[in-house]
Amino acid sequence: MAKSKKSTLDRREVVKTILAQRQDALLVTGLGSSCYDAGTVDHPNTFYLWGGMGGAAMIGLGLALAQPKRRVLVITGDGEMLMGLGSLATIAVAKASNLTILVIDNELYSETGMQPTHTSQGVDLAGIAAASGFKHAKTLHSLSEVKDSMTTIYKTPGPVFLDIKVNANRYPLSIRLRDGTHIKNRFRESVLGAKAFD
Amino acid sequence: MKVLKKAKPTWPLEIYNVFETVNIQQVAFVPDAGHTTLIKACQANPKMQTISLTTEEEGVAMLAGAWLGGMRGALLMQSSGVGNCINMLGTIRECRFPLLCLVTMRGTWGEFNPWQLPMGQSTARVLEDVGVVVEAVNEPSNVAETVFACAQMAFQTNRAVAVLIGQRVVGFKDWSK
Ligand SMILES: Cc1ncc(C[n+]2csc(CCOP(=O)(O)OP(=O)(O)O)c2C)c(N)n1
Ligand SMILES: [Mg+2]
């Protein structure tokens, strides 16, 4: 377990670059910074988590199984992913081919005071995903690697797991939309149309 | 005293029939002996996605995702698993996600394992505290209609509902032998 060298990648640039290609993909965010990153490019097909730490990837699985024709992205933090490590095993076994999990890995719990997470000590999330049976699992360190991964993120049969090492930049809250019922209803209406309220 | 359990109870397959009736398409579970027959029946149906979890809270999150995508699910667990779900049930409550949980009880009527008591005795109270509607069923012939009624409550009113299937239904091991 080698400690990783510090990344210079900016999280907001990463998320903006990826979501610019989203088309009809569905997105689940983890709580905290990932939620605010995605909030800079708000979309009704985004389900923002403001709590439920450890649950983002599994919400992604349920959604991916329910919407097999669409790509489902989960964008979450390293701390959030570490709280739901078992879900990587569950997702790999479920073989959700339309699911992509993207971890914005700053090696910190930035939301709660910049405490280091286990990834700062070399715990390798992509390695865990690969060992669990993810079809594709990799760690990315540069924007060019991110830009080269668009096919992997949106098209390659998965489950796909990318751990994207970013720097420690913190940003203020972006989106103010935080009522859970509203976020859910808006998402369902966008995806299901009138059937959302059957 | 004999083990108070019918040789082949019919309630598990009656639950399965309710699942088909109310269109349950994702079934998530951490195994409990009491759910064995139901899990097998669901696994045999290619139209139901049966997902084995590493911890019960995964299932709470997963079925929220299922609902976001327009699919209904059910979560099967033992009463001790309820303790693994509490924070995620807070998310269900905040978002008014429907959730149907079938909980086979331990740590209650006729229990022999003292370690089951702490969680089993507080299961209903803990669920109610986090906003889950709780229906206990202790008579095998009432199980299916209770599951049906709770499915309707969950999916038509957007609430989390748990059916607690009691040890009078599931049966218990006779520790005196
Ligand atoms: C169950 C639970 N434990 C702790 C917290 C407090 N908390 C909120 S955000 C967070 C850190 C998240 O870290 P990470 O996912 O890496 O996000 P980022 O570094 O991008 O902010 C923690 C510990 C919480 N909200 N819920
Ligand atoms: Mg982090």
Side-chain angles (χ1 to χ4, degrees), chain A residues 78-79 105-111 114-117 119-120 167-168:
Chain A
D78 47 314
D105 184 0
N106 55 6
E107 308 188 344
L108 296 164
Y109 294 105
S110 77
E111 197 56 27
M114 308 298 265
Q115 302 87 349
T117 68
T119 63
S120 73
N167 64 29

Side-chain angles (χ1 to χ4, degrees), chain A residues 47 49 51-55 58-59 61-63 65-67 86-87 89-90 94 178-181 184 187-188 191-192 198, chain B residues 26 49 51-54 57-59 61-62 64-71 87-88 91 93-98 156 158:
Chain A
F47 183 74
L49 265 183
M53 187 167 172
M58 286 303 295
I59 294 178
L61 176 61
L63 179 57
L65 295 175
Q67 289 286 329
S87 58
T90 301
R178 64 195 179 284
D179 180 89
T181 310
K184 174 200 71 175
F187 184 100
R188 275 175 50 90
V191 175
L192 305 169
D198 246 6
Chain B
Q26 292 189 26
Q49 324 224 28
I51 303 293
S52 176
L53 310 163
T54 72
E57 72 169 331
E58 286 179 3
M62 183 183 125
W67 184 252
L68 285 175
M71 219 176 236
N87 187 52
M88 213 58 77
T91 291
R93 185 184 204 176
E94 164 56 21
C95 300
R96 291 267 311 274
F97 276 112
Q156 304 303 333
N158 296 319

Side-chain angles (χ1 to χ4, degrees), chain B residues 135-168:
Chain B
E135 281 287 336
V137 56
N138 288 303
E139 166 56 46
S141 60
N142 292 343
V143 172
E145 66 166 24
T146 305
V147 173
F148 184 70
C150 288
Q152 170 140 315
M153 255 198 284
F155 298 114
Q156 304 303 333
T157 78
N158 296 319
R159 294 298 197 288
V161 184
V163 182
L164 307 189
I165 303 172
Q167 282 176 283
R168 282 180 179 81

